Amino acid sequence: MAYTLSDSSTILWTGTYTPDGGGRAEGIGALKANRDGTLEWLGTAVPAESPSFVAAHPTLPVVYAVAEQRRMVQAYARTGSFGLAPAGGPVEAGDATCHVAVDPQGRFLTATCWGDGQVILYELDPAGAITGRFPAGAGTDPYAGQAVDAPRQSRAHASLMLADGRIMTTDLGHDILRIWKYVPGTGLVLDGEVVLPFGSGPRHLVQHISGSVFVVSEYSIEVFVVRPVAGTFSLAFQGPATAGGSGPGDSAAEICLGPGDRHAYAGVRGSNLISVLEVVDGGAGLVPVKDVDCGGDWPRHHVVLGPWLHVAHERSDTVATFALDPATGLPGPLVRTVRVASPTALVPASA
């Protein structure tokens, strides 16, 4: 979905890299996103070690973050106008924990771990505190013994809360999407898989209003559409993520939807661009329309807020803002940039 603004403004939490992860930030940052598209740096909400991805509880003033280098996840409670304070102690995760997502009903949190492939579910109590910890079953490479001789490392990267209550996770090491059911007191139970082409590296994903899930692949720089069919998902579309192709050393990062779910936006690091894709055939396909300069170096993450596209640049320490044309969905010229140290995620506050 595309996020909408309140009457005046909202807070954007910024995931970051701190020195332990090769970055320059001090912890989770806070930006004020105004209705006119301007962003204001409020400051560091709380010191933390490489909180490279954060997630907001759907109804409570609670934020969750990974500590990527420390193999931990941590809950934080809102304090003051934009501050955060640890709520409980850090909880063990896995190697290079790089993404967290929260159930829309606030029942649980999921964490995905790039280093060892773990997918972990943490149950939450009514106050949003982390309680039970349930690692999911290890993944199996669908290409083992076929395309490769040596074992490939599973690399879980992101999870998506689906509209039907299930969870879909990406594994860019095994080129597979996994669908899970949540069972209270047990955790995640595997409920289906979608195998993507060998070497594609599915990274991030978003669900369209039609029910289709759009996936961007880090390695092959493509987009895939998987469609719900008879209780499961199947691959329905594969195409390029950009209009002009990709260059040496490029890697795709994020995909998000724009207003009305009529366009998707994919970020490509290296060539440093945002690709605008038109949603076609009622959500069954994605067609690249135009590639635009992202306005900085290494677009790690981006988000649409109302008619504005905000792009976080990990290496140039900036967040760039573009106005989206309401008819074509295309970003206009760069409106402005704001300084943010080593930003890796932009997540609107929900409470």
Side-chain angles (χ1 to χ4, degrees):
M1 63 174 288
Y3 296 96
T4 57
L5 292 176
S6 64
D7 290 341
S8 56
S9 64
T10 191
I11 286 179
L12 271 176
W13 305 115
T14 65
T16 65
Y17 275 131
T18 54
D20 72 318
R24 294 159 293 284
E26 298 177 348
I28 300 173
L31 287 165
K32 181 182 179 183
N34 297 309
R35 196 174 185 83
D36 64 0
T38 57
L39 297 179
E40 301 174 40
W41 173 245
L42 298 176
T44 298
V46 64
E49 294 181 273
S50 288
S52 59
F53 210 89
V54 301
H57 192 284
T59 59
L60 299 173
V62 180
V63 173
Y64 307 92
V66 305
E68 184 170 327
Q69 307 303 316
R70 295 183 59 213
R71 302 167 54 103
M72 298 287 184
V73 295
Q74 173 73 57
Y76 297 91
R78 290 281 299 271
T79 62
S81 58
F82 69 88
L84 297 170
V91 182
E92 181 185 0
D95 187 23
T97 308
C98 60
H99 190 272
V100 284
V102 186
D103 166 50
Q105 299 179 48
R107 298 168 298 172
F108 60 84
L109 169 79
T110 55
T112 43
C113 309
W114 181 89
D116 56 19
Q118 286 195 73
V119 178
I120 306 170
L121 181 139
Y122 303 87
E123 290 187 328
L124 304 175
D125 71 14
I130 298 173
T131 57
R133 177 185 184 274
F134 302 94
T140 301
D141 189 348
Y143 291 100
Q146 302 175 38
V148 290
D149 296 324
R152 296 194 300 169
Q153 175 63 56
S154 172
R155 297 201 182 280
H157 201 281
S159 52
L160 174 69
M161 304 298 161
L162 298 172
D164 64 10
R166 292 181 293 175
I167 304 98
M168 184 179 288
T169 59
T170 60
D171 190 322
L172 56 80
H174 285 173
D175 302 311
I176 196 168
L177 309 174
R178 294 188 173 91
I179 301 99
W180 311 85
K181 284 184 177 179
Y182 166 56
V183 178
T186 297
L188 295 170
V189 175
L190 191 64
D191 194 45
E193 298 180 334
V194 181
V195 178
L196 298 186
F198 178 79
S200 55
R203 178 181 169 94
H204 275 206
L205 65 177
V206 65
Q207 189 166 28
H208 185 256
I209 194 171
S210 66
S212 295
V213 175
F214 301 158
V215 183
V216 67
S217 57
E218 178 171 342
Y219 301 150
S220 64
I221 313 178
E222 295 177 288
V223 287
F224 300 89
V225 178
V226 294
R227 301 270 279 177
V229 179
T232 187
F233 283 83
S234 61
L235 180 60
F237 177 87
Q238 172 185 359
T242 65
S246 57
D250 279 358
S251 62
E254 171 68 345
I255 185 168
C256 78
L257 289 165
D261 281 11
R262 294 179 294 114
H263 295 89
Y265 302 89
V268 179
R269 300 167 291 185
S271 291
N272 291 339
L273 59 86
I274 297 292
S275 171
V276 183
L277 301 109
E278 182 182 2
V279 179
V280 298
D281 300 329
L286 290 168
V287 176
V289 176
K290 186 176 182 179
D291 304 331
V292 299
D293 188 294
C294 66
D297 187 13
W298 213 250
R300 175 68 175 255
H301 195 255
H302 56 271
V303 66
V304 170
L305 281 171
W308 307 98
L309 172 67
H310 304 292
V311 186
H313 300 108
E314 180 186 339
R315 295 184 178 176
S316 58
D317 299 329
T318 57
V319 176
T321 298
F322 300 84
L324 298 176
D325 185 291
T328 66
L330 294 176
L334 176 64
V335 175
R336 60 185 63 85
T337 61
V338 62
R339 298 291 297 178
V340 178
S342 305
T344 55
L346 299 172
V347 177
S350 56

